[in-house]
Each structure stands twice: as structure tokens, then as C-alpha cells.
Amino acid sequence: MLINSRGFAKYHPIHTDMRKYLIVCFFSLWALAGFAQRPNVIFIYVDDLGYGDLSCYGATKLHTPNLDRLAAQSVRFTNAHSTSATCTPSRYALMTGQYPWRRTGTAILPGDAALIVPTNTTTLPKLFQKAGYTTGIVGKWHLGLGDAVAKNWNEEIKPGPNEVGFDYSFIFPATADRVPSVFVENGKVVALDKADPIAVDYKKPIGNDPTGKEHPELLKMKSSPGQGHDNTIVNGIGRIGYMSGGHTARWTDEEMPLTFLTKAKSFIDNNKSKPFFLYYALTEPHVPRMPSTMFKGKSGLGFRGDAILQLDWAVGEIMQQVTAAGIAKNTIIIFSSDNGPVLDDGYVDGAVTQLNGHTPWGPLRGGKYSAFEAGTRIPLLVSWPGNVKPSVSDALVCQIDFIASFSKLLQQPLAASEATDSQNMLNALTGKTKQGRSWLVLDSDTYAIIEGNWKYIAPSNGAALNKLTNTELGNNPKAQLYDLSNDIGEKNNLAEKQPETVKALGELLKKIQGY
């Protein structure tokens, strides 16, 4: 029997039964070998963490020892990006390998939105399923549930994470500051009392629960004016949107991250004997920042700093669980954030008044919502003991590329119509090369493109400053051009001095966008 380059049997004049027997034996041995060698993958995805928020990225006012330890065994990237400066579009790109601006309805979603991830194509978790992995998501989802906004929260809700490729899901639907404030496990609200049915509305008040706007005296954390976090009160905190019912199912903010951690550790323990993919999506340091009691006041930087210490502790717990399960050498751990940092994002929590010299954006300009680098340049650590040599890489990489990169690693080809914007960056992500992408499109209020050392921000008539969050948005009616090799803080606009570069990058951006 002969084997071609793809591993398939070619015809050879052997007795038919013997040939069939040999083919079966070959594929059985090939499958068993692959099963033993395929690494587990844990993707730890956090929310609103800045490039300068970790001590392994230069923070001095905040110390993150567990992430420092992970960084010491990882490729630590200094030029890694989410596709977008806000959460829903970044998560959409991660799951689909498609730029979110190619599809309408991928902006920040309300808590009652319909599912925006397609169920009829290969997603990141489906790729792992095709390779024989058990897949799980624990934590924040924020990509919609069900076929429509109007849905019955008291019955099974689908399609959702399970239908896009996760064998197990334990989530909250959107963000911690949006109703409904409940856990959903495999499509069903946890601890729901059918005698106290849940209803959700984002247009008008419903039910008899007090709101933060009408009863601020009931709040244990005040809402910032003008940001909409003063609707239904849950656990002493005003939320975005209105909710009634489900009182026994509502989580408390202090308990919620610990529940997610427990579920993530259980998933690891339950699947340690077979290949698994775990997407562990922490809520920290997204608002409302109400950390568990043991972390309150620990950072000296307000509740935002405390939430980051809690996040760091959770990462350490996951690393310890992997070691205890005896799978550390065969487990890839990836750590990253969905977008850049923001301080006052809806609540008065000390993030501004207790910053105490900490710089969540590091040397970058802007932050969450911004076209400047701090909007999308994020921490990225990739650890794989024995296969990834600890190093620092300045390769241009993006979270949108994970699906194509794992397609290569798992030898699961993608159709030409799938993950069309994802590029195979496996060698860069594993530190075998520092050659990353040649270009990358980024989106916020406006669009930007990076090619080599150049960053071009397209002209925009949007506001220059988000006054509520005090964030420079990067909008400007004139084109902007920055040389990131010596101006990472984007202070020196070279557009007038480099008109040919501006023209070339503008045309490249339009070509990629299909204009």
C-alpha cells in the first residue's frame, strides 16, 4: 500500500480485503497518534484590560504576579490587536475570522439581542469540534441569543453558544452592566423559579423593581451621569435595561466571577483525559467593578485595580488547575483582552480618583472606543511548554487570525468562504518567526489601517473626544498618518509630509473594504 502526501491510501494490487484491513489499521493508528499529540487549548479572554495594566507590560503601580509567571513561559506580544475598540465586534471577529464591519448589527449589543454569529459555517469552536475536541465556554458571551430580540427567558434559549460550536456553555448573556443579570447554562437560565418569570425590555420600564434613576438612595455604587446605568437595580447596582422577575436566579457581582472560575476549573478537570478547548471569558475589569470582598481595597487603585488583581488571581487558579490535572505540558494557554482600557464607563468606582499614577494605556494614546493604538493594541500571551520558547515578539498579529492559525495546527482546512479575513499566523503566534501580518484593518468610530510601521486613520467627522469617558476617539476631518516605529504614542501626524503614503494606504483600505 502506498500513501500519498495527504495521508490517503493509493491503489495498489493487493487483495481487496487485505487492502481494506490495512487502511483501517493505518487510520486507527494515525487517529490515536493525533489524539495523543493534540494540545488542549485554554483561551482566557478578559474585558477592557489595557496594554499598560499588567506588570509584565510595564505597570509599576499594579503587580500581577500570576500573569507575570505566565508571560515568563510565553511569547509576549507587543504589537497584538483586537479588530475593534469595543467588545462585541472583537468577539465576533475572534469567533468567525471575519471583520465585524462586513456584517451589519455587530456593534455593541443590548442584552436582549438576537444571535449574530452564524450557525451554518465553521467558527473557532466548531473548528475544534471537527478535530475531535470537547469545547466549552465559561463567562461573558455578548454575541446575542435566540433568533430575535423578543424571546422567552423562561424556556430554553437557542440558538446560542451551543449552536455555534460549544459542547458546554455557562455564560451571562451580554455584559455585567446589562440585564438580564442571570447565568445561562446550555441555553437555560440557572436557578429559575417558574413562578417568578423573567421579562426583559430595553425600551421601557417593566415590573416593580426600583431603578437607579428613581431610587439612587438604594445604590451601593452610584451611576455616572448620562451613561444610562440607572435602570433596574440588581444587587444594589443600576443596570442598562429593565428586568422583572427571576429574583432567585439573579447573581451578585461579588459572587459571579468566582462561579465562572469554578465552572472553568470543573470543565478542565472533567475533560483532562481528552483534547479540549476552553474559552474562558472573564468579565474583569469591565464595569460594574464590584470585586469579591477579599480583593476590595487590595490594589490601592480603586475597584478597577482590585478587579485586575482578582483577574490575575483567577489566571493563577487556572494555571494551578492545569498543573494539578497533569496536562500542563500539553496545554496551550492564551491570554488577551477584547479592547483597550476605560476608566469612568458608567459608575463612580474610584477608577479616576484613585488612579494614583497608574497608566492603563501604557505609552499608547486613546483607549476603549478609540481609533488610536490604546483602543485595539492589547496584551497577548501564548504559552505552550516545550513547543513555545519564551520570548518577546513585535510581530503584527490579530485575534481574528486564531481560527486560520488553529486550522493549520489542527489540520482542519477551512472552506474558501469561511473565516475570509483570518490569516495563518501560527509561526508568529508560536514564536517561530517575528514576521506577522503585512497589514491590518482596525475599527472604532472610524477606520484605520496598519501596514508595516505606518498607521493611517481615515478622515472622520465624529467627535474628537468622548466626554463621558474622557477618551480621545481619534476622529479628525483630515487624514492622520503615524510612524509607529518611533511614535507609538501617535503624537506626530505626518499626513501632510507624506501625501503619497496617505494616498496609498487610503486606497488599500478601500480595496480591502470592497469600495
Side-chain angles (χ1 to χ4, degrees), residues 314-364:
V315 172
E317 289 291 299
I318 292 295
M319 294 171 67
Q320 183 176 336
Q321 183 73 23
V322 168
T323 300
I327 57 174
K329 292 184 178 180
N330 195 40
T331 298
I332 298 173
I333 298 179
I334 301 167
F335 175 89
S336 197
S337 178
D338 61 353
N339 50 249
V342 62
L343 298 180
D344 184 347
D345 204 26
Y347 300 95
V348 181
D349 60 5
V352 175
T353 58
Q354 298 181 55
L355 196 57
N356 293 336
H358 176 57
T359 53
W361 42 85
L364 310 177

Side-chain angles (χ1 to χ4, degrees), residues 79 81 371-373 376-377 394 396 437-442 447-458 479-488 490-506 508-509 512:
N79 196 16
H81 292 260
F372 290 126
E373 282 293 278
T376 61
R377 190 183 290 220
D394 62 358
L396 176 63
R437 277 177 160 263
S438 58
W439 52 262
L440 174 65
V441 177
L442 306 167
Y447 293 102
I449 186 169
I450 296 174
E451 185 181 39
N453 293 326
W454 292 112
K455 179 175 179 179
Y456 165 80
I457 303 178
Q480 297 173 75
L481 181 70
Y482 300 99
D483 181 359
L484 298 177
S485 65
N486 56 34
D487 183 22
I488 196 173
E490 295 170 289
K491 300 299 184 184
N492 187 18
N493 183 5
L494 300 175
E496 293 185 358
K497 296 180 179 179
Q498 298 281 347
E500 293 183 0
T501 304
V502 168
K503 181 181 178 182
L505 289 176
L508 177 60
L509 176 60
I512 295 166

Side-chain angles (χ1 to χ4, degrees), residues 267-426:
F267 182 87
I268 294 169
D269 191 55
N270 292 338
N271 294 284
K272 61 187 177 183
S273 62
K274 54 189 176 182
F276 68 81
F277 168 63
L278 172 62
Y279 174 58
Y280 177 37
L282 286 75
T283 182
E284 298 99 325
H286 194 283
V287 296
R289 300 155 186 145
M290 185 55 67
S292 302
T293 304
M294 63 180 173
F295 290 100
K296 288 179 180 176
K298 191 173 181 180
S299 70
L301 302 180
F303 282 171
R304 184 179 186 275
D306 298 342
I308 293 173
L309 294 188
Q310 179 168 284
L311 173 162
D312 178 73
W313 171 78
V315 172
E317 289 291 299
I318 292 295
M319 294 171 67
Q320 183 176 336
Q321 183 73 23
V322 168
T323 300
I327 57 174
K329 292 184 178 180
N330 195 40
T331 298
I332 298 173
I333 298 179
I334 301 167
F335 175 89
S336 197
S337 178
D338 61 353
N339 50 249
V342 62
L343 298 180
D344 184 347
D345 204 26
Y347 300 95
V348 181
D349 60 5
V352 175
T353 58
Q354 298 181 55
L355 196 57
N356 293 336
H358 176 57
T359 53
W361 42 85
L364 310 177
R365 186 178 181 184
K368 182 179 181 180
Y369 311 115
S370 176
F372 290 126
E373 282 293 278
T376 61
R377 190 183 290 220
I378 38 75
L380 175 63
L381 307 174
V382 178
S383 167
W384 188 6
N387 292 277
V388 167
K389 184 179 179 180
S391 60
V392 178
S393 175
D394 62 358
L396 176 63
V397 294
C398 181
Q399 295 164 1
I400 201 172
D401 297 324
F402 277 107
I403 187 168
S405 302
F406 277 115
S407 170
K408 176 67 174 179
L409 179 66
L410 301 174
Q411 298 182 6
Q412 295 293 319
L414 294 162
S417 61
E418 296 176 325
T420 52
D421 296 307
S422 187
Q423 297 182 15
N424 173 20
M425 291 287 117
L426 183 62

Side-chain angles (χ1 to χ4, degrees), residues 217-272:
E217 75 280 1
L218 299 179
L219 299 174
K220 66 181 182 183
M221 177 183 285
K222 292 182 179 180
S223 303
S224 298
Q227 297 199 40
H229 294 73
D230 58 358
N231 299 156
T232 298
I233 297 174
V234 178
N235 184 36
I237 299 173
R239 313 287 164 161
I240 299 174
Y242 301 97
M243 174 183 181
S244 66
H247 290 85
T248 60
R250 299 182 187 188
W251 38 253
T252 61
D253 299 78
E254 294 88 342
E255 162 254 354
M256 175 254 294
L258 302 182
T259 301
F260 282 148
L261 175 61
T262 299
K263 291 293 182 179
K265 292 171 70 173
S266 294
F267 182 87
I268 294 169
D269 191 55
N270 292 338
N271 294 284
K272 61 187 177 183

Side-chain angles (χ1 to χ4, degrees), residues 60-74:
T60 58
K61 302 291 184 178
L62 197 61
H63 298 285
T64 50
N66 293 297
L67 281 161
D68 291 355
R69 182 160 55 93
L70 180 63
Q73 64 185 45
S74 300

